[in-house]
Amino acid sequence: MTQTLKTKVLIIGAGTGGYVAGIRCGQLGLDTVLVDGGDGLGGTCLNVGCIPSKAIIHAANKFETVSKAADGGTLGITATAPAIDLTKTVEWKDGIVRKLNNGVAALLKKAKVKVIKGWATFADAKTCTVKTHDGDITITAEHVILATGSEPVELPFLPFGGDVISSTEALSLDKVPNKLVVVGGGYIGLELGIAFRKLGAEVAIVEMADRLLPLYDKALTDPVANWLKNHGVELHLGAKAGSFENGSLNVTGADGQAMKIAADKVLVTVGRKPRTQGFGLENMGVAMAGPFVKIDDRCATSMKNVWAVGDLTGEPMLAHKGSAQGEVVAEIIAGHDKRFDPVTIAAVCFTEPEIVSAGLGPQDVTGRDDVIQAVFPLMAIGRALAIEAGDDGGFLRVLASKADHRLLGVQAVGQHVSELSNSFAQMLEMGAVLEDVAGVIHVHPTLGEAFHEASLRALGHAIHI
């Protein structure tokens, strides 16, 4: 027997875009149903992405610290050689995920959002059938918000299964592999590859481009490349991965020579693609922009009262973009005059060291003579030296207009610089000029002083360099 349900707002997908949209809809008094057919409340980010990966990275950092203390000592601290039971580490990570899952569920309940667990299939733009454990439910809605997210790209010659894994499986391994080969030198592959190197695995990275993290400028990525080199990570750049057979990955090197790289696990991280299949998107009459759903600055699709947020709508495929879009759509449905028009969406790589980029970078202003660029090294910041964060080539860079000194972009590379990302985004969003940053009394001793000093340097009068 099929149940029927009518609602004001129907949200498909419970990731950071969908559940935030749901909570905001509920706060605004909109009758809302949220259908969760994917990874669970919180979506990829909470369950198999951002949160669990940062938990594993944190554990790897702790392990590395103790390992240094056991290898001749560090900071006057000595210890015996550490061991890791990855099963227990994963259990701890899973506990964090459960706690956050429960928190999201509680917030949705408080907002009076009806959550249905099951997979939705649309017959038309406003009608879908959800298959649940208790039978089918047909839902009709006045407004539909698509927030189906994304999934890992699978290579046809390296299908997922067995010892060929995606980031999802990498975050739930029961032991550290002796030899891990990472296919793809983007942020996901590097974050996990570095973490497993810290945990004791031998790691090799195979990347088609001629350098790592090709979306970032070389100055930002050089400290990461140096860390990999100094820690014995094999780099195969300009190389193409092939099939995985008998414990070896076939690779064609930059010189065209074939080679085999032994591996216990092959982690494929060549990107993510929007989740557009399996829920009847083709029956909804929405226009596409390549592989993504096309939206305007209100997150509206070409079909009236059908909205889309998050990874489904294109780059940057970042959780915080989806959340911001979800809020905007909820408020528009409630009658508010809103637009999704951010000045910047900051991006962070939780590599070693970390990378942050907001706004324009050097590659975006090549050939322009109307831009000021100034760099300040973290090694000149007392706090960085005191926490061993200043000796890895880290720096902070500002770009600003020569004419009016308005900030155009801010980047940084170094340990813990991810915590500066919101300051960068805030200043850019507010339309700050260099004098605004220079006029803020920055707390000493903190890493944020580098933002102050870089801005002073751009104005021609840095104090500590």
Side-chain angles (χ1 to χ4, degrees), residues 381-393:
I381 297 294
R383 173 67 171 166
L385 295 179
I387 59 174
E388 299 182 284
D391 58 356
D392 54 11

Side-chain angles (χ1 to χ4, degrees), residues 38-383:
D39 299 302
L41 295 179
T44 295
C45 177
L46 195 158
N47 293 277
V48 293
C50 316
I51 300 301
S53 67
K54 302 315 167 279
I56 296 297
I57 288 168
H58 177 70
N61 289 342
K62 293 284 190 183
F63 186 83
E64 182 190 37
T65 298
V66 180
S67 297
K68 285 181 179 178
D71 186 21
T74 178
L75 309 179
I77 302 167
T78 57
T80 55
I84 185 163
D85 182 340
L86 194 60
T87 301
K88 290 184 178 179
T89 307
V90 169
E91 286 176 359
W92 165 74
K93 176 265 295 182
D94 289 343
I96 293 171
V97 170
R98 280 193 301 274
K99 184 180 294 185
L100 292 171
N101 280 147
N102 292 337
V104 172
L107 291 169
L108 288 165
K109 183 177 181 180
K110 180 181 178 183
K112 297 182 172 56
V113 176
K114 181 177 179 61
V115 177
I116 299 174
K117 182 71 176 175
W119 192 258
T121 304
F122 281 84
D124 59 45
K126 307 290 172 51
T127 308
C128 74
T129 298
V130 182
K131 293 190 177 297
T132 75
H133 291 306
D134 300 321
D136 294 351
I137 304 174
T138 296
I139 306 173
T140 58
E142 184 179 336
H143 294 266
V144 173
I145 303 174
L146 298 175
T148 54
S150 62
E151 57 195 2
V153 171
E154 186 175 40
L155 296 173
F157 49 85
L158 269 179
F160 294 129
D163 292 326
V164 179
I165 60 176
S166 72
S167 56
T168 298
E169 292 78 36
L171 293 168
S172 294
L173 293 175
D174 57 4
K175 64 178 181 179
V176 177
N178 291 323
K179 182 68 179 284
L180 174 69
V181 177
V182 180
V183 178
Y187 75 95
I188 297 174
L190 286 181
E191 286 181 3
L192 294 177
I194 288 170
F196 278 104
R197 181 70 190 107
K198 289 180 177 182
L199 291 172
E202 292 182 33
V203 176
I205 297 172
V206 178
E207 165 59 43
M208 286 185 65
D210 60 2
R211 65 181 184 84
L212 300 170
L213 295 168
L215 295 180
Y216 295 87
D217 66 88
K218 188 172 181 296
L220 284 176
T221 61
D222 276 349
V224 178
N226 290 337
W227 188 95
L228 296 170
K229 180 180 178 181
N230 294 336
H231 289 79
V233 175
E234 290 179 37
L235 289 181
H236 300 277
L237 302 177
K240 296 180 181 179
S243 59
F244 180 63
E245 301 168 333
N246 302 318
S248 293
L249 179 68
N250 292 304
V251 175
T252 303
D255 57 2
Q257 295 295 309
M259 68 182 90
K260 292 182 180 292
I261 305 177
D264 297 305
K265 299 289 181 184
V266 176
L267 171 58
V268 179
T269 57
V270 294
R272 296 183 66 84
K273 61 181 180 180
R275 192 174 280 128
T276 57
Q277 303 298 313
F279 63 95
L281 180 64
E282 62 277 7
N283 299 325
M284 299 184 72
V286 300
M288 303 296 288
F292 302 104
V293 171
K294 185 178 182 180
I295 59 170
D296 63 14
D297 64 355
R298 299 164 68 244
C299 300
T301 71
S302 59
M303 176 60 69
K304 181 177 174 60
N305 290 348
V306 175
W307 317 81
V309 302
D311 290 359
L312 187 65
T313 66
E315 299 288 353
M317 295 167 78
L318 298 171
H320 42 291
K321 182 197 79 171
S323 296
Q325 288 178 320
E327 285 190 71
V328 165
V329 171
E331 292 176 6
I332 290 173
I333 293 172
H336 300 191
D337 184 13
K338 300 285 288 188
R339 294 288 187 275
F340 181 71
D341 186 25
V343 172
T344 186
I345 302 174
V348 176
C349 296
F350 290 86
T351 44
E352 184 66 58
E354 295 174 349
I355 297 174
V356 179
S357 182
L360 300 182
Q363 70 276 21
D364 301 311
V365 296
T366 301
R368 288 176 56 175
D369 60 4
D370 62 338
V371 176
I372 307 167
Q373 295 188 47
V375 171
F376 194 85
L378 292 185
M379 67 182 297
I381 297 294
R383 173 67 171 166

Side-chain angles (χ1 to χ4, degrees), residues 395-418:
F395 64 86
L396 189 148
R397 176 207 294 138
V398 297
L399 290 84
S401 166
K402 278 185 182 178
D404 60 7
H405 294 177
R406 192 163 305 281
L407 281 175
L408 302 174
V410 192
Q411 293 84 41
V413 56
Q415 292 182 52
H416 312 296
V417 295
S418 60

